[in-house]
Amino acid sequence: MAGQSRIGVTGLAVMGANLARNIASRGVSVAVHNRTGSKTTEFMSEFGGEGDFTGTQSLQEFVDALETPRRIIVMVKAGKPVDGVIADLTPLLDKGDIIIDAGNSHFPDTVRRTAECEANGIRFMGVGVSGGEEGALLGPSIMPGGDPEAYAEVKDVFEAIAAVVDGTPCVVHVGPGGAGHYVKMVHNGIEYADMQLIVEAYDLLTQVAGLDAHAIGKIFEEWNSGDLESFLIEITGKVLAKVDEKTGGPLVDVIVDQAGQKGTGTWTAIDALGLGIPLTGITEAVFARGLSALRAERAAAAKTLTGPTPATKVDERLVDDIREALYASKVVAYAQGFAQMRAASVQNGWDLKLGEMATIWRGGCIIRAQFLNRIRDAYAEHPDLDNLLMVPYFTEAVANAQDAWRRVVVTATEQGVAIPAFSSSLSYYDGYRRERGPANLIQGLRDFFGAHTYQRTDAEGAFHTRWAQDGTEVRTDG
Ligand code: 6PG
């Protein structure tokens, strides 16, 4: 027996509950379910009056409440819980029903689940949803992956609930299989890089410019009205301005300096290593969180390992230089993240439209920023762009910022302040713009110890030098 609700949501923790409320607020009927039934009861008594909800206590009741083909959003913790829900739902569903995993699942799991569901006649979609609790309620950025025909069955709902920028909803069918969760993973990786760049700027403004949290908060507030305008810069101003009720000082000064993480940044970095894509910004951001977590070791090292004591440098230019360094490093981090998505798209045959990814990230999500309009424009003009740095707007932006960027890296290095994302981004830039780098010597060394061969600049073919014998060169490929 098929019911009347247009869509179902199982998993009523904050994200699931808010997504269900968002859907209902658009006039769409929603059946809700939670493994622990009392949560559904609570949800219904608190929010049931907001829209056309059907609260259900068992999975059977939930499934029966849905019109066919059934559209079921699963919003549970990534990993085993998702497999558990799929296993429980599968025997209750009909062929053609759609399971939508809207959590932060790792994309290889999505690829596997898509195949497993397909074998049972069920259509599976892995959908990235960004924007945190508020975004889920008021309008997230949505990155749906999977069967396009399944997407057609939910497109109107997704477009109704997504954030809207300049009349365009922040949702587009990203690609088949794991593409949606892949793009969400890279989004989170970029989120890591953006935050790392922000904290490096904060660190320099504290350690070198000698400013307090309140003053730095004001600087971020100002920065938010220029090229850097973005959600993360905006909330940095707010976090730095927050006064701690207990101490009366800045709250940030009493927060432990140890960053948590749930794994998406690490997945992004590992994936880039597999693809052979230099992803220094995001990867350094992951490493920096790892270093932050070595709190006890750092406390010991602070007493043992020496370095310069940062001296407050009264330099008019410093604040502006840091802003330029932040912007240039951000351009590099995005250039790298988009290059990674391009490589993954080619490898997996996803046909990702990178301009569309920039478009749907303009609103709703954590990395929403003005800046993404520039990326969207870049791909509109050059859909097959190798690297964003090659587009005149970004080429010029980095060219204009580079003197300041170099000064910041020099100052931080001299003063002993760690800036892994600023400096690695600059090294990437300097490496990328070299027609001939130093890897010729790596090839010579590899050939010396392992006869791995090398190519010559002046002849075709593969060559080996008999280093340990007579020192002569031989051609090894014919
Ligand atoms: C989003 C966020 C969201 C979440 C991350 C945080 O797009 O809404 O990215 O997915 O905040 O999981 O990740 P970490 O806990 O790893 O920092």
Side-chain angles (χ1 to χ4, degrees), residues 197-219:
L197 294 172
I198 286 171
V199 307
E200 289 180 17
Y202 157 71
D203 204 20
L204 287 167
L205 291 168
T206 310
Q207 306 277 329
V208 182
L211 300 172
D212 63 15
H214 182 75
I216 301 172
K218 287 251 174 286
I219 289 172

Side-chain angles (χ1 to χ4, degrees), residues 49-386:
E50 285 182 2
D52 186 355
F53 288 113
T54 303
T56 63
Q57 288 295 324
S58 68
L59 265 188
Q60 184 67 60
E61 206 189 322
F62 176 59
V63 164
D64 288 345
L66 296 169
E67 63 176 49
T68 54
R70 296 183 180 83
R71 304 162 184 88
I72 298 176
I73 296 179
V74 178
M75 200 48 140
V76 299
K77 204 168 171 335
K80 283 210 162 56
V82 178
D83 289 309
V85 175
I86 296 171
D88 293 345
L89 275 172
T90 300
L92 310 179
L93 297 181
D94 293 321
K95 293 217 177 322
D97 286 350
I98 304 162
I99 297 180
I100 299 156
D101 172 16
N104 264 336
S105 290
H106 196 195
F107 76 95
D109 287 338
T110 304
V111 172
R112 168 180 60 77
R113 288 169 186 146
T114 303
E116 286 168 4
C117 284
E118 204 175 278
N120 291 312
I122 293 162
R123 296 182 282 176
F124 185 80
M125 297 192 67
V127 176
V129 177
S130 176
E133 296 171 10
E134 196 181 289
L137 181 62
L138 302 174
S141 169
I142 310 179
M143 296 147 250
D147 176 4
E149 283 173 25
Y151 180 60
E153 301 278 359
V154 289
K155 184 171 184 259
D156 59 335
V157 177
F158 282 3
E159 288 186 351
I161 64 169
V164 176
V165 175
D166 299 338
T168 306
C170 296
V171 55
V172 73
H173 181 246
V174 167
H181 276 143
Y182 186 89
V183 167
K184 176 66 194 339
M185 174 189 81
V186 176
H187 163 282
N188 279 29
I190 292 176
E191 173 184 309
Y192 273 53
D194 265 341
M195 284 194 278
Q196 178 61 26
L197 294 172
I198 286 171
V199 307
E200 289 180 17
Y202 157 71
D203 204 20
L204 287 167
L205 291 168
T206 310
Q207 306 277 329
V208 182
L211 300 172
D212 63 15
H214 182 75
I216 301 172
K218 287 251 174 286
I219 289 172
F220 273 92
E221 211 182 299
E222 233 172 77
W223 287 357
N224 196 41
S225 55
D227 284 345
L228 284 170
E229 183 186 341
S230 61
F231 172 68
L232 285 169
I233 295 283
E234 180 194 337
I235 65 168
T236 301
K238 292 182 176 164
V239 171
L240 289 168
K242 176 76 182 154
V243 173
D244 176 40
E245 284 174 15
K246 192 169 157 200
T247 58
L251 173 65
V252 77
D253 289 352
V254 291
I255 296 180
V256 171
D257 61 337
Q258 182 174 338
Q261 51 183 316
K262 297 199 201 74
T264 44
T266 304
W267 295 344
T268 316
I270 291 173
D271 178 74
L273 287 170
L275 288 170
I277 293 292
L279 191 81
T280 58
I282 293 172
T283 307
E284 287 293 356
V286 176
F287 287 149
R289 288 200 194 188
L291 186 69
S292 82
L294 301 176
R295 208 169 151 229
E297 282 184 45
R298 285 191 289 114
K303 295 191 185 78
T304 311
L305 305 180
T306 60
T309 307
T312 303
K313 231 180 125 165
V314 187
D315 180 344
E316 293 275 296
R317 275 191 318 201
L318 186 61
V319 174
D320 256 353
D321 278 2
I322 294 172
R323 181 179 52 78
E324 301 259 22
L326 173 47
Y327 189 67
S329 304
K330 182 179 168 91
V331 171
V332 166
Y334 279 69
Q336 293 176 341
F338 275 77
Q340 177 181 12
M341 288 194 286
R342 183 166 190 251
S345 176
V346 171
Q347 177 157 310
N348 297 292
W350 285 334
D351 195 22
L352 293 183
K353 305 276 187 292
L354 296 180
E356 291 182 353
M357 302 310 108
T359 302
I360 64 171
W361 287 350
R362 292 180 309 161
C365 65
I366 305 297
I367 65 169
R368 60 187 181 262
Q370 272 301 326
F371 177 76
L372 286 154
N373 277 311
R374 302 296 189 176
I375 299 183
R376 171 185 138 111
D377 295 347
Y379 284 108
E381 230 175 291
H382 313 278
D384 286 325
L385 189 62
D386 282 324

